[in-house]
Amino acid sequence: MNRLIDKLAIVLICLMSIVMSDSFTAPVIVTLATLTVSAAVQLMTGSVLAAVLIASCSLLCGVFPLMLCSLPLLLYDALWEKKWWLTVPALTVLTKLNMLSAEQLILTGAAFAVTIIIYKRVSNLEETVSVLTSLRDEVAGKNRQLAEQNLRLAAAQDNEIHLATMKERNRIAREIHDNVGHMLTRSLLQSGALIVINKDEQLKEPLESLKTTLDSAMTSIRESVHDLHDDSIDLKKVLEDSISTVDSRFKVTLDCDVSENIAGNIKLCIIGVVKEGLSNAVKHSKGDRINIIIREHPAFYQLMLEDNGCCTEIKESGIGLKNMSDRAAALKGTISFTPSQEGFKIFMSLPKS
């Protein structure tokens, strides 16, 4: 659009000199011819035909001197084509300058000057816009990289906080178990001994009540310790640690997609089955790849562990397979073992409590 506006300004200056011609038809023909060629050149920017059209019209100036008055418009197109020298053939008009009036030559010279000034202004403006666009794109790219880096840092920080929380829960569980648990155990033993040696019937009931209270406290402490310990288990980290101990001939991949609030007994079951499955694969599989996939669904969890070693049948139900079955059954889940030519697959499904 800016280029069309600039060309309109140039055309108006050219018309001022063209209309000074004594002829009536020549200005119309020259104007229409120049406008047509200029429009064609703009449509075919960068083509050989565009360059030929500009050079041909420039050469016609030597035949029709009035064409010189419209040449600034073609010079503008030539400058955009980066081929200003295409207007050089117009110098052939020098032998016929006497056919143009002084006013026409002055206006034509002014048109040439305006054309060059407009081109310089617009080209510099477009260059500036191009630079600013590049800077904008670069800044946008940097902002995206910074946002991604911030997300990574936030994720790493959250992970560190999570691990620190898990360690603190483990420490508290150990403290309760080692200190309070032992003290309650000693108190239970002492109360039991007192009940045995007591001969006073009036103390029998209070001692029984004390022992019951201590039993209840011990049960509550035990449950709390188990809950703290189970919650402090980082499922993915434990699995990764287990994978790191697998024989180097296996390439093990882990795809674990579960939430952090998974129940402790579910975690322990998955960890136990994965460890047993990895151990069996190392002992019996002749493959070199193990894939582990863990998924959380709205109502249940799924585990799939498979290797690529050839296994057509399960020769015997070893203790390892039985342990895995018992773990799944204890949580009302199901587990299956599928041997095939492509490998051995363990598939377990555990309902959410």
Side-chain angles (χ1 to χ4, degrees):
M1 182 58 70
N2 289 334
R3 186 172 174 182
L4 291 175
I5 294 173
D6 293 341
K7 291 174 79 170
L8 179 61
I10 296 170
V11 167
L12 292 176
I13 300 175
C14 292
L15 284 175
M16 293 173 63
S17 60
I18 291 173
V19 297
M20 291 182 180
S21 174
D22 296 332
S23 173
F24 176 76
T25 57
V28 175
I29 295 173
V30 168
T31 302
L32 292 176
T34 306
L35 290 175
T36 301
V37 170
S38 179
V41 169
Q42 186 163 341
L43 287 173
M44 297 181 292
T45 298
S47 67
V48 176
L49 184 57
V52 171
L53 287 173
I54 295 174
S56 299
C57 286
S58 300
L59 190 60
L60 284 175
C61 291
V63 181
F64 304 104
L66 192 59
M67 285 288 295
L68 181 65
C69 297
S70 63
L71 192 63
L73 182 61
L74 297 178
L75 174 62
Y76 187 76
D77 289 320
L79 289 172
W80 277 106
E81 294 288 319
K82 308 299 182 184
K83 299 174 182 177
W84 61 268
W85 42 266
L86 291 174
T87 58
V88 171
L91 292 176
T92 55
V93 77
L94 293 176
T95 58
K96 299 182 179 181
L97 284 180
N98 58 334
M99 298 179 65
L100 299 174
S101 64
E103 291 81 1
Q104 286 178 308
L105 292 175
I106 292 172
L107 286 173
T108 301
F112 276 116
V114 169
T115 298
I116 296 172
I117 292 172
I118 289 176
Y119 171 74
K120 288 291 185 181
R121 178 184 63 83
V122 175
S123 61
N124 289 339
L125 179 61
E126 290 200 352
E127 184 178 351
T128 303
V129 170
S130 178
V131 171
L132 291 176
T133 301
S134 299
L135 288 174
R136 182 199 63 190
D137 294 342
E138 184 178 353
V139 170
K142 295 291 185 182
N143 287 337
R144 284 194 297 271
Q145 292 178 0
L146 184 60
E148 292 173 358
Q149 186 175 2
N150 287 337
L151 288 175
R152 288 195 295 270
L153 289 174
Q157 186 179 22
D158 290 343
N159 187 51
E160 290 179 1
I161 293 173
H162 177 68
L163 290 177
T165 303
M166 298 298 101
K167 289 180 181 178
E168 184 62 16
R169 285 184 177 182
N170 256 332
R171 187 190 67 78
I172 294 172
R174 284 196 304 271
E175 290 292 332
I176 294 174
H177 178 270
D178 295 342
N179 296 322
V180 180
H182 289 170
M183 292 175 66
L184 283 174
T185 300
R186 187 172 63 181
S187 298
L188 280 168
L189 292 174
Q190 289 174 345
S191 63
L194 287 173
I195 291 173
V196 171
I197 65 175
N198 177 53
K199 303 300 182 181
D200 190 346
E201 290 296 326
Q202 293 183 348
L203 293 177
K204 184 177 180 180
E205 186 176 345
L207 288 174
E208 291 287 351
S209 177
L210 175 61
K211 186 175 184 301
T212 302
T213 301
L214 290 173
D215 276 333
S216 177
M218 189 62 182
T219 301
S220 178
I221 288 293
R222 188 179 294 111
E223 290 176 352
S224 297
V225 168
H226 280 296
D227 289 341
L228 279 172
H229 178 263
D230 292 348
D231 288 342
S232 66
I233 297 173
D234 188 329
L235 178 61
K236 189 172 183 180
K237 187 175 187 306
V238 173
L239 294 177
E240 289 174 346
D241 291 341
S242 300
I243 290 171
S244 65
T245 62
V246 175
D247 194 313
S248 59
R249 71 186 173 92
F250 286 96
K251 178 182 179 182
V252 185
T253 60
L254 173 64
D255 183 359
C256 182
D257 184 14
V258 296
S259 60
E260 293 182 1
N261 58 353
I262 180 173
N265 55 354
I266 299 288
K267 292 181 185 178
L268 294 174
C269 179
I270 292 174
I271 291 170
V273 171
V274 169
K275 286 184 175 180
E276 193 66 48
L278 291 174
S279 177
N280 286 346
V282 171
K283 290 178 182 178
H284 307 296
S285 175
K286 293 181 172 56
D288 60 359
R289 187 177 69 252
I290 302 173
N291 297 324
I292 304 171
I293 300 175
I294 303 171
R295 289 282 185 271
E296 179 177 359
H297 300 280
F300 58 92
Y301 298 93
Q302 281 185 337
L303 163 68
M304 186 187 75
L305 188 151
E306 63 177 348
D307 62 70
N308 63 340
C310 179
C311 180
T312 57
E313 61 177 347
I314 302 176
K315 295 184 179 179
E316 58 178 292
S317 296
I319 189 170
L321 298 183
K322 185 177 185 305
N323 285 339
M324 287 189 276
S325 298
D326 290 343
R327 287 179 183 274
L331 298 179
K332 298 180 181 179
T334 59
I335 190 168
S336 63
F337 310 102
T338 307
S340 69
Q341 292 289 347
E342 288 76 27
F344 186 76
K345 180 185 293 185
I346 300 172
F347 187 85
M348 181 174 69
S349 178
L350 299 173
K352 290 185 176 180
S353 56

